[in-house]
Amino acid sequence: MTGPSRPDRPVEGERQRGYGDRQRAGDRPGGERQRGDERFGDRQRSDRQRSERPGGDRRGGDRFGGDRRGGRPARPAVDLPRQVAYEAIAAVHRDDAYANLVLPAMLREAGLTGRDAAFATELTYGTLRHTGTLDAIVTDAAGRDVQRIDPPVRDALRLGAYQILHMRVPAHAAVSSTVDLVRSVGPGATGFANAVLREITSRDADAWVAKLAPAQETDPVGHLALAYSHPQWIVRSFAEALGGDMGETTRLLIEDNERPPVHLCARPGLADPVALADEVGGAPGAFSPYAVYLPGGAPGDLAAVADGRAHVQDEGSQLVADALAAAPLDGPDGRWLDLCAGPGGKSGLLGALAATRGARLTAVEVAEHRARLVEQATRGLPVTVLNTDGRSVGSDPKLPEGHFDRVLVDAPCTGLGALRRRPEARWRRQPSDLPPLTRLQRELLTAALRAARPGGLVAYVTCSPHVVETHVTVTEAARRCGLGVDFVDARPLLPAGMPGLGDGPTVQLWPHRHGTDAMFLAVLRRN
């Protein structure tokens, strides 16, 4: 890859959306370990060593398998990290929960820290990322479609298969621990689970792919989908956005299965990125002038985040927000607008930039609870938060037409550009999600163009490389809005020397090229 080296650490990302199901993959810690990584070592400790504490007080309470008899906690059948991973995955599949939200709470409740917490996190996120390939392997090993397996047993088998094929867990330990798990969630299926898992141990991951994937020569999309665990429609959309280059598509899919790094944004005027990097033991970012790469740890615990000098934000999100602020503009430059602001990452950066330039930002968010998050994220900055629909430009007196100098439309989208941050999203999104989303995107961009004054600038941003959400949406909105609009070449608005920005005037960032989420940027000037 051509991007910067990045910390080997789960990430906290930027936002959840406010218009319907506005998934943006990547809000909280997650991640996956590479095969061969020795940080978790050989987990052949006893269940008692892993799951009980001195004095007979086992962390996590009865929820995770405790059975108190005679005042003494029973020895759990499943070690606690695996049990927590199972609970998180079951919540994702049973309740449509988000792993980045339920797993941290479960880890805290269970009292897991250090290596055990890292093991549970790796097992959870890795299994969710690789679900498609694991299901194909379980189907073959079981001799029946995975959807015909009882859901609790199915989730346990996925966890076991992931340990066997992708983690440094000895096969016998992965099999026995998973059978123990099945004994607790589906007692009648222990023999079945044992047979399926032993069959899975008969091949390594590459051999299973060689057996089950379509030939790359005749079905490249099908082959990549199974080999790198992405739905075929997503693989196809990535390939189209990359000009049909299947080699580069492969590199993107590989990167999608890596853990994303933690990036901080040092707020201009409030924190110097070099000093912040020294303070947190990180390193200045490769591209954004505000980025700091964290080596690990919980970013929410950092003093700089707690006191508002910095916030967690992917470097790509920093770059597209800064591009709007950096674009040359004739005339007044004091009224800025963020039309889709929740929960406030880009508003925080734009508000800090506005403060250094004597400008003021209006941040609009349609969901009330996200509007409160924007208020929290921009406290102390020259930002006014409006809890209203961004499409109300012209009908809401606080959003007059032709009024704003710079406008950001960080539009709700499929979130395909940040699948590494929200592992379950790739299996939840469907092509049928696109028509309502792209209609909303066009409406919001049209509203943004109406909000901009003549000569004003609008930046259209999505965290998706899908051409329907990027090029099609922006060109259709510009054509239909009834206003004179010119495209501004976005490439000079990004740092000099940044590779792989294409032919312009729009820019598509990529995980495998830039180490960022796959952010799309178009900048338009209203005539």
Side-chain angles (χ1 to χ4, degrees):
M1 57 178 286
T2 58
S5 60
R6 289 159 294 156
D8 184 18
R9 177 67 187 170
V11 70
E12 286 199 24
E14 184 182 352
R15 63 198 276 150
Q16 284 182 270
R17 292 304 210 167
Y19 291 91
D21 183 15
R22 300 173 59 180
Q23 293 187 39
R24 200 167 167 113
D27 295 335
R28 291 294 178 101
E32 168 185 354
R33 241 178 2 94
Q34 285 301 292
R35 218 171 156 190
D37 189 341
E38 297 180 357
R39 286 178 300 135
F40 300 110
D42 181 352
R43 295 184 53 84
Q44 295 188 71
R45 294 174 289 166
S46 69
D47 286 338
R48 185 174 301 275
Q49 286 174 304
R50 282 191 292 257
S51 305
E52 296 187 21
R53 300 293 185 261
D57 181 17
R58 191 175 58 81
R59 294 187 190 177
D62 293 341
R63 173 182 173 186
F64 295 102
D67 179 17
R68 299 185 178 277
R69 290 189 286 267
R72 297 179 60 191
R75 176 177 177 270
V78 183
D79 71 274
L80 200 51
R82 287 182 173 91
Q83 183 70 36
V84 169
Y86 170 81
E87 295 275 357
I89 287 175
V92 168
H93 294 146
R94 181 188 62 239
D95 306 326
D96 285 338
Y98 294 106
N100 65 288
L101 300 181
V102 298
L103 180 61
M106 290 180 175
L107 293 173
R108 287 192 299 270
E109 183 179 346
L112 291 180
T113 59
R115 290 163 62 89
D116 281 348
F119 183 87
T121 299
E122 154 66 2
L123 185 52
T124 300
Y125 282 83
T127 300
L128 289 171
R129 282 195 180 94
H130 288 268
T131 293
T133 304
L134 296 175
D135 281 1
I137 293 170
V138 170
T139 292
D140 188 85
R144 70 177 76 166
D145 190 280
V146 71
Q147 297 304 319
R148 294 178 54 210
I149 300 173
D150 190 49
V153 177
R154 181 169 65 221
D155 282 336
L157 290 174
R158 288 164 171 162
L159 285 166
Y162 184 75
Q163 292 173 70
I164 291 167
L165 298 173
H166 295 284
M167 297 182 75
R168 287 184 61 84
V169 176
H172 67 87
V175 171
S176 63
S177 63
T178 306
V179 171
D180 286 344
L181 177 58
V182 171
R183 186 174 291 112
S184 69
V185 301
T190 54
F192 167 74
N194 184 66
V196 171
L197 292 165
R198 291 190 180 280
E199 176 63 20
I200 292 174
T201 65
S202 67
R203 294 177 175 85
D204 64 16
D206 291 340
W208 276 111
V209 168
K211 177 183 180 184
L212 299 177
Q216 190 157 11
E217 296 75 18
T218 57
D219 186 1
V221 169
H223 178 88
L224 292 177
L226 191 137
Y228 299 106
S229 202
H230 283 67
Q232 289 195 26
W233 76 273
I234 292 180
V235 176
R236 195 173 292 110
S237 72
F238 287 170
E240 182 180 5
L242 288 165
D245 186 330
M246 301 309 290
E248 190 169 11
T249 302
T250 301
R251 293 192 291 276
L252 171 59
L253 297 175
I254 292 171
E255 192 68 20
D256 247 3
N257 287 334
E258 299 289 340
R259 281 170 302 172
V262 180
H263 294 167
L264 291 183
C265 176
R267 292 185 170 182
L270 299 174
D272 176 77
V274 175
L276 180 62
D278 290 340
E279 176 184 335
V280 301
F287 301 121
S288 167
Y290 317 113
V292 173
Y293 299 160
L294 285 185
D301 296 338
L302 297 173
V305 173
D307 62 24
R309 290 180 290 125
H311 60 267
V312 178
Q313 187 175 43
D314 178 77
E315 188 173 18
S317 293
Q318 299 175 37
L319 289 167
V320 295
D322 187 52
L324 172 62
L329 179 66
D330 293 329
D333 192 14
R335 297 172 298 200
W336 298 5
L337 174 65
D338 183 350
L339 206 60
C340 310
K346 294 183 180 65
S347 290
L349 175 53
L350 287 174
L353 287 167
T356 67
R357 291 161 56 171
R360 185 165 192 89
L361 175 71
T362 299
V364 177
E365 173 52 47
V366 67
E368 183 178 357
H369 70 284
R370 291 186 178 89
R372 290 194 296 269
L373 292 175
V374 178
E375 290 176 346
Q376 295 170 13
T378 59
R379 188 175 292 119
L381 299 173
V383 177
T384 300
V385 179
L386 301 181
N387 177 206
T388 189
D389 192 321
R391 293 170 290 183
S392 63
V393 170
S395 60
D396 187 327
K398 295 180 181 179
L399 290 175
E401 291 193 25
H403 179 74
F404 295 94
D405 305 306
R406 299 179 190 268
V407 183
L408 173 68
V409 185
D410 187 14
C413 64
T414 56
L416 300 186
L419 296 181
R420 56 191 186 150
R421 300 190 185 279
R422 185 167 289 168
E424 66 279 345
R426 70 184 70 178
W427 311 116
R428 288 183 177 170
R429 281 302 191 188
Q430 300 295 331
S432 58
D433 296 330
L434 286 165
L437 276 173
T438 54
R439 181 168 58 251
L440 176 59
Q441 291 160 3
R442 289 194 301 270
E443 291 171 352
L444 286 166
L445 179 52
T446 299
L449 291 168
R450 294 201 314 269
R453 66 165 173 83
L457 295 164
V458 175
Y460 173 78
V461 170
T462 66
C463 189
S464 171
H466 199 298
V467 294
V468 174
E469 298 188 89
T470 57
H471 295 285
V472 173
T473 288
V474 73
T475 54
E476 283 297 299
R479 182 177 65 85
R480 297 181 186 182
C481 70
L483 303 167
V485 174
D486 292 326
F487 280 84
V488 176
D489 192 345
R491 293 172 298 171
L493 307 179
L494 296 173
M498 196 169 178
L501 296 183
D503 299 326
T506 63
V507 165
Q508 179 68 63
L509 303 179
W510 294 102
H512 66 292
R513 289 184 186 175
H514 309 108
T516 69
D517 291 343
M519 305 296 298
F520 172 83
L521 170 66
V523 180
L524 304 99
R525 190 184 307 274
R526 177 175 170 179
N527 294 331

